[in-house]
Amino acid sequence: MVGPEDPTGKPAVLIIGGLGYIGRFLALHIHKNQLASEVRLVDKVLPQLAWLAPEFKDACSQEKFVQADASREQSFDRIFDRSNGQEWDYVFNCGGETRYSQEEEVYKVRSLNLSVAAGKEAARRGVKVFVEVSTGMVYKPESAPRKETDKTKPWMTMAKYKLIAEEELAKIPNLNLVILRVAHVYGEYDHKFVATALSLARVYQHLEKEMKWLWTKDLRVNTVHVQDVARALFHAAQWYDGGQKGWEASMGKVYLFNIVDHGETTQGTIEQIINSIFQIQTGFQGTMISSFARLNLDTVVDEVNDEILGPWADLQAEANITRPGPLSPFMEKELLKDQDLSMNGSRFEKVTGFEYNIEKISKDEVEKMIESYKLMNWWP
């Protein structure tokens, strides 16, 4: 609630997973645009160990930070209590396990348990809005863009527990819940999906070899820029707090939105960008090799990783990178499945009036990513 100590009328904001990739950009968006009366970032990782770039210095300062595990109830007083005795207005859950190929128990404890525990506490304290970051990988994979009403069939373990978290949060009485399912997030300092492809391209450029993708150029790998994700998160909270205008009963009881750009990104889109930037031969494996890979994915991926990790280390040594950053060409088996990530994001735009600033992934945006890696001395 906005009280006498918040004369600006701006919301007090708590970000769980505040030093994660999305969390830090949300903090930066709030800081730059002066959107909050108070901000607190909660994370298990210390700022000194979070690979924070210089522009996050003020947005993610030590004064705003609380080191805590938000899946543990004994941490809640430190996380949720404010010095003025009032409650947080907006709580964003950007936390959870983001690494791929972990054991199920890891996602259960670090993602599912965290979401449910934080959601219950937010409801108990009467928080105005609780925004949960989920993933588009919960949908049954189809090439046609998936809408929020389409069938779910998670194709990654991480997504399986994100979907269970969504379902459990929806059952919590009096929780003012909004769920955002995001596509592959990319942007400056990213070290996930797009970043892995860029690191691979750098190795193949060094080896002067052709870089070939599995499956086809038409495989959907939809994307969204991290700056738009940060904007969408805060926009969703404001929309909910403002009375959920435009939501119709036919849309369901859970305020659920897909967050994805307009680019309809495919493997072919990224291949063309990489070809243009690195000036290397790129292409796609034939049907026969892809069929073999489908049956022997573990072996195929292990062989490629064995081939590229040595040269990557050599490149880093040559570039005098003594403290390697989070970038790596290491390929995760889970991410290499022949599954479309294809999403329709029109509901969020039509209902809430949100507009994307970066409508599609482009050569310019990817070059900005590489420049950000150079700034951090991650790029060999």
Side-chain angles (χ1 to χ4, degrees):
M1 304 225 345
V2 175
E5 293 191 36
D6 296 329
T8 61
K10 293 176 182 178
V13 174
L14 173 66
I15 307 174
I16 296 168
L19 297 186
Y21 187 57
I22 292 173
R24 69 183 63 181
F25 271 94
L26 174 58
L28 186 63
H29 172 63
I30 292 168
H31 177 75
K32 276 184 174 178
N33 296 284
Q34 299 181 324
L35 297 172
S37 60
E38 183 183 349
V39 176
R40 179 178 294 169
L41 312 178
V42 176
D43 210 295
K44 289 196 298 185
V45 177
L46 286 166
Q48 301 91 309
L49 302 174
W51 304 103
L52 286 171
E55 66 253 47
F56 297 97
K57 183 168 173 275
D58 294 330
C60 302
S61 64
Q62 191 69 46
E63 302 83 68
K64 297 175 182 176
F65 177 72
V66 172
Q67 186 182 28
D69 181 350
S71 67
R72 300 170 71 89
E73 288 184 28
Q74 53 264 51
S75 304
F76 284 168
D77 287 351
R78 287 177 51 237
I79 291 171
F80 282 90
D81 286 356
R82 295 175 64 200
S83 58
N84 64 6
Q86 297 179 21
E87 300 299 348
W88 299 99
D89 298 302
Y90 299 172
V91 175
F92 297 93
N93 181 24
C94 304
E97 182 56 71
T98 57
R99 294 175 300 167
Y100 302 111
S101 308
Q102 303 299 301
E103 296 293 326
E104 296 219 7
E105 189 63 21
V106 172
Y107 297 114
K108 186 178 178 183
V109 171
R110 295 185 187 168
S111 292
L112 172 60
N113 292 2
L114 182 151
S115 293
V116 174
K120 284 180 177 175
E121 187 67 6
R124 188 181 74 78
R125 290 173 178 258
V127 167
K128 284 184 181 176
V129 57
F130 182 92
V131 183
E132 172 79 0
V133 179
S134 189
T135 171
M137 294 177 196
V138 298
Y139 292 110
K140 183 182 179 188
E142 301 278 357
S143 58
R146 302 291 84 196
K147 294 181 179 178
E148 290 84 351
T149 49
D150 285 329
K151 284 182 181 175
T152 53
K153 188 182 179 183
W155 46 276
M156 291 180 72
T157 314
M158 179 197 297
K160 172 184 170 182
Y161 283 94
K162 274 295 185 185
L163 182 60
I164 298 171
E166 287 184 19
E167 292 164 349
E168 291 302 311
L169 286 169
K171 295 174 189 172
I172 297 173
N174 305 314
L175 179 62
N176 298 313
L177 175 67
V178 180
I179 298 169
L180 303 186
R181 292 174 176 168
V182 300
H184 284 301
V185 182
Y186 75 97
E188 287 90 335
Y189 314 109
D190 165 43
H191 58 92
K192 290 290 184 182
F193 181 72
V194 175
T196 301
L198 298 179
S199 304
L200 276 167
R202 179 68 188 95
V203 171
Y204 282 109
Q205 182 188 49
H206 168 68
L207 296 174
E208 298 182 351
K209 290 175 90 174
E210 183 178 8
M211 180 174 170
K212 282 197 167 188
W213 268 263
L214 282 173
W215 325 126
T216 70
K217 65 178 175 39
D218 299 319
L219 187 72
R220 269 63 169 179
V221 289
N222 284 188
T223 51
V224 62
H225 197 282
V226 68
Q227 290 174 12
D228 279 331
V229 175
R231 290 177 53 246
L233 280 162
F234 202 83
H235 183 86
Q238 287 180 310
W239 169 82
Y240 186 97
D241 192 22
Q244 309 102 45
K245 294 181 183 70
W247 188 267
E248 296 172 5
S250 61
M251 296 175 183
K253 293 180 180 177
V254 179
Y255 298 102
L256 173 65
F257 298 104
N258 289 340
I259 306 299
V260 58
D261 65 26
H262 295 166
E264 298 182 0
T265 312
T266 63
Q267 283 202 139
T269 312
I270 295 174
E271 181 238 358
Q272 288 176 348
I273 291 170
I274 281 176
N275 182 288
S276 177
I277 292 173
F278 292 90
Q279 299 292 305
I280 58 173
Q281 287 289 107
T282 53
F284 292 85
Q285 301 286 9
T287 309
M288 202 165 91
I289 292 177
S290 288
S291 297
F292 174 81
R294 190 176 282 110
L295 298 171
N296 303 275
L297 194 58
D298 286 10
T299 308
V300 170
V301 175
D302 287 344
E303 284 177 4
V304 175
N305 282 333
D306 286 346
E307 181 185 308
I308 58 175
L309 291 177
W312 177 255
D314 295 341
L315 280 168
Q316 288 183 312
E318 286 169 25
N320 292 317
I321 298 173
T322 52
R323 186 181 174 231
L327 280 187
S328 173
F330 182 83
M331 291 200 294
E332 296 284 358
K333 299 177 185 78
E334 271 200 313
L335 262 185
L336 284 175
K337 291 177 180 175
D338 184 16
Q339 308 282 25
D340 288 290
L341 178 61
S342 183
M343 299 166 66
N344 179 326
S346 61
R347 174 192 276 188
F348 190 60
E349 294 177 85
K350 286 175 184 171
V351 172
T352 74
F354 183 77
E355 293 181 1
Y356 287 87
N357 286 344
I358 301 167
E359 296 213 347
K360 63 180 181 178
I361 193 168
S362 65
K363 182 182 177 183
D364 283 351
E365 292 302 330
V366 172
E367 284 176 332
K368 286 178 191 173
M369 291 173 67
I370 294 171
E371 286 306 310
S372 76
Y373 303 151
K374 290 176 180 176
L375 173 74
M376 298 296 284
N377 198 31
W378 295 346
W379 188 254

